[in-house]
């Protein structure tokens, strides 16, 4: 599987997050801070898969998000299917 990869770009209060690879037990969200963002755009086109361990890590990470407008863009069907199971 492809290794989890994230690129973050903050411009003022807008945070852009571009994700790729696989969200699994090896995905490390600890260095990805959402603090201080007024709006967050998460681009997911590069994601290939997510498993139950990845869902757990995703939920922990998203719980750190400030009160902000969050937009998910280009979310692949495999990701939507797994998230809908939760």
């Amino acid at each position: 599987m492809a290794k989890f990869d994230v690129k973050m770009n903050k411009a003022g209060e807008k945070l852009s997050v571009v994700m790729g690879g696989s969200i699994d037990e090896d995905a490390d969200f600890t260095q990805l801070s959402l603090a201080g963002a007024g709006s967050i755009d998460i681009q997911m086109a590069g994601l290939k898969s997510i498993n139950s361990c990845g869902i757990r890590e995703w939920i922990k990470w998203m719980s750190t998000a400030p009160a902000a407008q969050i937009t998910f863009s280009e979310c692949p069907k495999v990701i939507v299917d797994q998230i809908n199971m939760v």
Side-chain angles (χ1 to χ4, degrees):
M1 279 191 208
K3 185 177 176 180
F4 181 59
D5 180 51
V6 177
K7 292 179 180 54
M8 299 177 80
N9 182 28
K10 189 168 183 184
E13 289 190 6
K14 182 175 181 173
L15 176 64
S16 295
V17 181
V18 179
M19 296 184 163
S22 298
I23 301 176
D24 57 19
E25 57 278 358
D26 296 325
D28 183 12
F29 287 95
T30 58
Q31 302 300 315
L32 307 176
S33 174
L34 300 174
S39 68
I40 302 168
D41 179 38
I42 301 176
Q43 306 254 342
M44 305 176 84
L47 289 175
K48 302 299 179 202
S49 67
I50 186 169
N51 65 17
S52 58
C53 295
I55 291 284
R56 180 189 64 225
E57 296 306 312
W58 174 271
I59 291 170
K60 287 195 298 188
W61 177 62
M62 289 303 296
S63 70
T64 68
Q69 177 183 350
I70 301 175
T71 305
F72 298 96
S73 303
E74 303 177 45
C75 193
K77 185 180 182 323
V78 294
I79 303 299
V80 173
D81 290 344
Q82 185 70 274
I83 291 171
N84 281 334
M85 284 193 269
V86 177

